[in-house]
Every structure is written in C-alpha cells, then in structure tokens.
Amino acid sequence: MSEGIIQPDRPEDIDGEGKDLFSKFDDMIALREGILATGVEDPFNLVMEKVLSPTRAICNGRDTILLGTYNYMGMTFDPDVVEAGRQALSDFGSGTTGSRVLNGTYQGHKEVEQALMDFYAMDHAMVFSTGYQANLGIISTIAGKGDYIVLDIDSHASIWDGCAMGNAEVVPFKHNDIEAMEKRLKRIPEGAGKLVVLEGVYSMLGDIAPLKEMVAVAKKYGAMVLVDEAHSMGFIGENGRGVVEQAGVIDDVDFIIGTFSKSVGTVGGFCVSNHPKFEIMRLVCRPYVFTASLPPSVVATAETSIRKLMRGSNKRAHLWENSKTLHKGLRELGFQLGTAEPQSAIIAVIMPDLEQGAAMWEALIKGGLYVNLARPPATPANMTLLRCSLCAEHSEEEVREILGIFEAAGKAVGII
Ligand code: PMP
C-alpha cells in the first residue's frame, strides 16, 4: 500500500454517502437557473462568432457594437501590432514551453520589458503571464509574515487573492476613504513592514482614487505603496502612465501593476518599480517562476502596442470625448450612474436588481449593443451594474447610436 493514500477497509465504504463538494454552489446554481427560466439570453454565455473591429463583432448571430471590452485604446487590430505578432510567430514559434527563469526568456520578453521601462520611465520591469498573476505574485512575495497590507475594500479579486496567498496581516479600509486608511496605518505596531495597495481606476464604478492624498498619508507612516493601474494605462495622465501620473505622485509610489489585457490589447501582466533590489523578484516570486512565459507573438504585439501608446495623445483626447458624451447622454436619459462626472473610460449604469439588470442586458444585446452585466460578489455594495467601457475607436456616431439603443431598451424594460 503506498504511503499517504487512504485505502477503503471495506467494499461498502466505496459507495458510502459522501458529501458532494459541489453543494456549496447550490445557491448560485438556483439563482442562475431562476434567471434563465424567465427566458432571457444567458448574459454569461455570449459568443463572438466574428470580430470585425475593436468596436464591432457578430455576437450570437447579430451585428453588435462592443461597449463592454477593455480595449480602451483600440489596439487589437492596429496593423503594426498585428504584423509584429505575425512576424514573431514565424520567427520564434508558437510558444516558449518554459518558465522565464529557465528556457522561457526570449529576446521579445526583454524587449517588452524595455518598452515598459521606457513607457513609465522606471528602472525595472517584470512581465508576468497575466495581470492577475502580477498582483498575486508581487503582493504575496513582498508582504510576508509580520508585515501588514492596508488595502481598499473594493480592491480587485487578484489583489485579495495576492493577500490570501501571502502571510501578511490584511487590513481593509472603506473605499477611497483617506481618513479610514490613515486610522488603519496609525494602529500598525512600530517597526512592522507596511504595504498600501490602491488602484488608479476602480473598474466596477469607473471612479478614481484620491492618490495625491492617499500616497502622502502612506508615506507619512513609512508604508510602501503599490498602485494597480490596469484600467488607466495608455490614456490617463499626460503620457498615459495612469492616475499616479495625473495626480503627480508617480515618483512616490514603489510599484505599479498593469496588464496587457486592456489598453495594450493582448494578454500579460507586469510590475514596474525603481526599487534598487527589485530584480531579486525574478527568483523569489512563485507566480513568475512556476509558470510558462508568454508566447513570442504576444510579447511582440505588446511591445509594438506599448511603443505606439507612447504617441497616443490624439486617441486619448477622443476617448475622453466619448466618455463625456456617453456619461452626459445616459444621465440626461434618466439612468443612475456610478459617478457624478466621468472619471475614466468606464461608465457604470446602476440597475435596481439582478432580474431587471438581466432584462436590460438582454434588451441591449437584442438592440445590437454589448455591455458587461456585473453583479455581486464582483460589485461593491451588492449592486447590479451594466458596465460600459468606451474605446478610442468608437466614432461620435457610434456613441449616438449607443445612446439610442439605451433609450429604447430602458423604456422597454421600464427602467427610465
Ligand atoms: N487588476 C485589475 C484592477 C483588473 O481589473 C484586472 C482584470 N480585470 C486585473 C488586475 C487582471 O488583469 P488580467 O486580465 O491581465 O489578468
């Protein structure tokens, strides 16, 4: 008998009444079945049969405007980006089949890291296979036993999972509340390591953090600061470096986390830093070491896209115009929005409940518009949201069309 494997003593143990480990999902299964039983299209099972451009696709057989992607800068069909990927696929093959610390660092990985250092004007850049893994890896590795992580309660799942994977004490504070954050920092024992984790743009409501004040408070208490700028890269701040740049605190933060899966238009994650010892992370950060590196075609598209985003000021200006027009139009139609003013490329439309949210989502998709239906636990305060994320490639005319579809759907469902 092999050690560590429990063998049944008697044959009847084999078909005993064991606990079904799926029973914990029963409430979720019932909720989902309840919604689908009303006959609505499944909002979490949409298939894009053909993608026509960054802003249009054939979804479930219909020509649809995309207003629920993170393709903020519309780079996915940029001819230079596509060509760079094609070339790398031919020159370097389809994948690396290995970790960055073994056989998985190709020329392209070094080049995309250099592009990130140039983009952020920082000394170090480390690329992960996703943004999720970047948060998981950096947070769990730098904050260890006896250290404290002070974080906004509305932080992204990858930040929470990074905290859960490490051994630090985790201290959340009320969303965007500077005083609450300070109170938590004040209570941490003298001499303990402290990491404050913030996001530039919070992706559910599209609101931004008061980073100028928050970073100053963090520094006052000697904390290191990590800011996740996943939703701001490429268009917030003079050079698209994010809310940290817009707030004038980029030199005061220790780590910026980002992703290639939004404005960059492909997949991958990263951390940039000026910390002199940062390179040791490549050997001690498990979600970097124990996984395969990104395919050569992906890093080539990312590098080309990042270098183009450095010259993207016209696109940025148009994206801001789109955001303002949509926000104003939706407010005038009578929808309740997540922010009083547009603060990013995300505009959240608050739904009364999940049933009406699903009905509204379906009315929009049938009208030719895709948005994200977001619900708890991803959303704050148990809200059901229709999350609209704009793209720099949406034309003025498309934004008007979007408002028309919202008006018709809102009236049909009885929300406005
Ligand atoms: N951070 C934030 C704030 C995010 O919203 C996301 C993804 N939605 C991530 C990190 C993870 O990014 P990725 O898609 O690259 O895993």
Side-chain angles (χ1 to χ4, degrees):
M1 192 188 288
S2 61
E3 251 184 295
I5 298 175
I6 298 166
Q7 300 281 355
D9 291 335
R10 301 180 306 275
E12 62 267 28
D13 286 349
I14 296 170
D15 43 43
E17 283 289 300
K19 182 179 174 186
D20 180 2
L21 295 173
F22 276 66
S23 59
K24 56 176 91 60
F25 309 120
D26 286 350
D27 288 352
M28 175 76 95
I29 291 168
L31 181 69
R32 182 179 150 78
E33 283 175 353
I35 288 177
L36 295 182
T38 66
V40 298
E41 249 179 76
D42 185 354
F44 304 112
N45 204 12
L46 179 97
V47 178
M48 299 202 190
E49 288 114 12
K50 202 166 178 344
V51 181
L52 308 171
S53 76
T55 63
R56 287 198 113 91
I58 306 294
C59 301
N60 293 354
R62 287 181 216 102
D63 187 352
T64 305
I65 301 179
L66 302 176
L67 189 67
T69 77
Y70 293 133
N71 200 355
Y72 300 123
M73 298 297 281
M75 299 306 283
T76 49
F77 281 83
D78 180 281
D80 297 329
V81 169
V82 172
E83 185 46 37
R86 214 194 301 271
Q87 192 64 49
L89 187 60
S90 318
D91 293 351
F92 290 91
S94 57
T96 69
T97 74
S99 160
R100 282 296 304 272
V101 293
L102 296 172
N103 57 307
T105 295
Y106 288 11
Q107 192 59 30
H109 297 83
K110 299 311 285 180
E111 283 166 3
V112 75
E113 285 174 344
Q114 187 58 55
L116 285 166
M117 288 185 258
D118 295 344
F119 185 91
Y120 285 98
M122 288 216 176
D123 296 342
H124 306 279
M126 188 167 155
V127 165
F128 291 77
S129 299
T130 65
Y132 179 90
Q133 281 164 287
N135 270 329
L136 204 62
I138 297 291
I139 294 171
S140 66
T141 309
I142 55 175
K145 206 168 168 50
D147 298 332
Y148 286 75
I149 300 171
V150 176
L151 82 167
D152 191 293
I153 192 111
D154 288 351
S155 293
H156 187 258
S158 56
I159 293 175
W160 283 106
D161 292 357
C163 293
M165 189 173 149
N167 297 311
E169 294 292 327
V170 180
V171 190
F173 63 88
K174 189 174 160 226
H175 178 55
N176 272 351
D177 188 327
I178 304 161
E179 264 175 44
M181 182 186 119
E182 179 155 17
K183 250 191 218 160
R184 304 291 183 282
L185 280 166
K186 212 182 254 175
R187 272 197 231 130
I188 295 175
E190 192 98 10
K194 293 166 224 146
L195 176 68
V196 168
V197 179
L198 305 167
E199 291 179 38
V201 173
Y202 285 87
S203 64
M204 286 299 137
L205 295 177
D207 56 333
I208 64 169
L211 286 187
K212 198 173 179 57
E213 297 80 2
M214 286 188 148
V215 172
V217 170
K219 293 282 120 180
K220 182 172 142 195
Y221 289 90
M224 287 187 138
V225 181
L226 178 151
V227 183
D228 181 331
E229 293 278 9
H231 293 275
S232 58
M233 182 180 183
F235 85 105
I236 295 187
E238 197 185 338
N239 297 290
R241 292 174 188 156
V243 183
V244 284
E245 182 179 38
Q246 182 173 266
V249 294
I250 195 161
D251 293 333
D252 301 322
V253 302
D254 299 276
F255 310 98
I256 296 175
I257 296 281
T259 174
F260 298 160
S261 74
K262 308 193 193 305
S263 292
V264 177
T266 175
V267 69
F270 64 86
C271 179
V272 291
S273 175
N274 282 329
H275 197 290
K277 297 180 188 167
F278 187 73
E279 291 298 320
I280 195 62
M281 292 301 281
R282 294 190 199 271
L283 298 182
V284 295
C285 183
R286 296 168 67 90
Y288 177 84
V289 175
F290 293 103
T291 195
S293 63
L294 288 167
S297 54
V298 168
V299 286
T301 54
E303 190 220 342
T304 308
S305 179
I306 291 163
R307 294 215 178 272
K308 289 195 90 163
L309 289 177
M310 288 165 86
R311 306 184 297 273
S313 53
N314 286 349
K315 277 188 144 194
R316 258 174 238 151
H318 182 65
L319 182 51
W320 275 119
E321 279 312 308
N322 283 347
S323 181
K324 286 179 195 158
T325 311
L326 185 67
H327 190 282
K328 183 166 179 280
L330 287 172
R331 205 184 46 206
E332 284 172 1
L333 284 172
F335 287 102
Q336 194 192 343
L337 305 182
T339 56
E341 299 296 328
Q343 298 183 13
S344 68
I346 300 168
I347 292 166
V349 185
I350 302 170
M351 292 289 110
D353 54 40
L354 182 56
E355 284 70 24
Q356 288 186 76
M360 183 71 189
W361 182 87
E362 186 186 45
L364 291 174
I365 199 80
K366 286 194 167 151
L369 180 66
Y370 172 75
V371 299
N372 289 151
L373 176 63
R375 57 177 172 80
T379 52
N382 271 330
M383 280 193 265
T384 297
L385 304 171
L386 293 178
R387 238 154 31 107
C388 307
S389 34
L390 285 146
C391 175
E393 296 290 324
H394 282 127
S395 63
E396 262 177 65
E397 195 190 340
E398 265 174 334
V399 178
R400 275 198 297 277
E401 211 180 318
I402 289 167
L403 284 167
I405 300 170
F406 255 101
E407 181 173 13
K411 284 180 176 158
V413 176
I415 285 174
I416 52 167

